[in-house]
Amino acid sequence: MSELILKNVSKVYPTGKTAIADFCLQSSGKEFIVIVGPSGCGKTTLLRLIAGLENATKGDIIMDGVKVNKLKPKDRSVTIVFQNYALFPYMTAYDNMAFELKIKGVDKKERDKKVMEAAEILGLKSELKYRPRSLSGGQRQRVALGRAMVVSPKFFLLDEPLSNLDAKLRAEMRSQIIDLYEKLDATFVYVTHDQVEAMTMGTRIAVICDGVMQQIGTPSEIYDHPKNKFVASFIGSPEMNFLYGVLLKEAGGVKLTVCGEKIMLPQEMFDKVDESYLEGKKGIIVGIRPEDVIAFGEGENFHSVQAVVKGADVLGRDLIVYTKVRGASVTIKTTVPVKRGDKLNIAFDKSRMHFFSAVTGMNIMNYDEA
Ligand code: ATP
């Protein structure tokens, strides 16, 4: 078992800074939880609290049914892998990996077995005799992973472990860490600010802002049903488009006024949106992802408008096109070749719109009723 519960955990540093506020998380075992959020939002503090490197100011941390608030790191079944590898420079890869087992008094034969097993899984067998300075960044990070693996922790904590690696190596290491997760019987808590890592690695993603959990859910829940504008804007690249608008309930459906356009939405919207926003009085923010605005899109689900191309980033076959629709910025993803100044017919996929309160930023849609 590797059950982890954080109950209303807060951390206030002696400087008075609240790094984590009233944080709750429940994982019933063997999960890959990715913690994402902007710089300074409290991700590392959260890992350090779980590892026991910091004490919580308030709340409880419970591992496999045991409250561990007062337990030292060595007494928790936890290991942590850092961004900068933190290897001993004067020891070989083998000795780095065996170090903790040696301290724990594990005999030489058992140490050897565990290190060789980890080296096999991580493809490090021929590197074991080298010191870190003779290894590449990827190999060093694998040694750091191996050092964590050999102690068979129930909770594997990783703090931006791939951020020092180049893009190709990062992609390789991502799949290696997922392999590792599949082989081990442990809960992984993985901190990153790279949303590709979050979307591809996590069984669940926890999005944090200013020490406060904004939403926790599967990658598709977070992507398709963001709880608020912060989550919607933080996950997804390029960022979701946000446009001011108003909703009004009419006889045949809901009229959305946005960018000076009147868009009729089907009657199902009556049940999908908080009723108080259907009276045309409260401002809303319409969110729509660039891939849900289609160049030359046609059909019942779409509402077409004319846009002017302001610029484009060419990414192989795909283009990220920046347009203006009556003064409002709308980014789209397309394969249609365009250039600055072109007039382009773009169509909003009505079924892929999100609505947020213009005041609180909270999502005002009820996806369950969809
Ligand atoms: P990054 O992505 O930049 O690494 P983070 O999300 O991991 O950031 P933390 O390092 O947990 O954020 O820091 C959260 C907040 O707490 C920041 O405002 C930081 O300045 C503050 N902080 C972190 N450590 C301490 C400390 N030891 N004493 C006082 N404040 C701290």
Side-chain angles (χ1 to χ4, degrees), residues 13-20 37-46 48 54 83 159-160 191-193 211:
Y13 282 112
T15 53
K17 170 79 194 171
T18 300
I20 290 291
S39 184
C41 73
K43 302 180 296 293
T44 297
T45 302
L46 190 67
R48 292 176 61 83
E54 298 286 350
Q83 172 183 351
D159 193 357
E160 307 212 27
V191 161
T192 182
H193 54 241

Side-chain angles (χ1 to χ4, degrees), residues 230-246:
F230 175 83
V231 174
S233 69
F234 194 76
I235 298 287
S237 177
E239 192 183 319
M240 188 183 270
N241 294 293
F242 295 108
L243 304 160
Y244 282 96
V246 167

Side-chain angles (χ1 to χ4, degrees), residues 11 47 50 59 63 87 90 98 112 161 183 190-191 197 210 225 238 248 255-256 278 290 295 300 303 338:
K11 173 68 189 177
L47 271 202
I50 299 170
M63 290 174 170
L87 298 176
Y90 52 88
D112 229 30
K183 283 188 185 119
Y190 187 101
V191 161
E197 285 176 21
D210 289 338
H225 301 160
L248 181 66
K255 186 172 75 187
L256 164 67
L278 295 178
E300 210 185 314
H303 179 92
V338 288

Side-chain angles (χ1 to χ4, degrees), residues 78 99 207 277:
V78 161
F99 181 75
V207 185
Y277 287 89

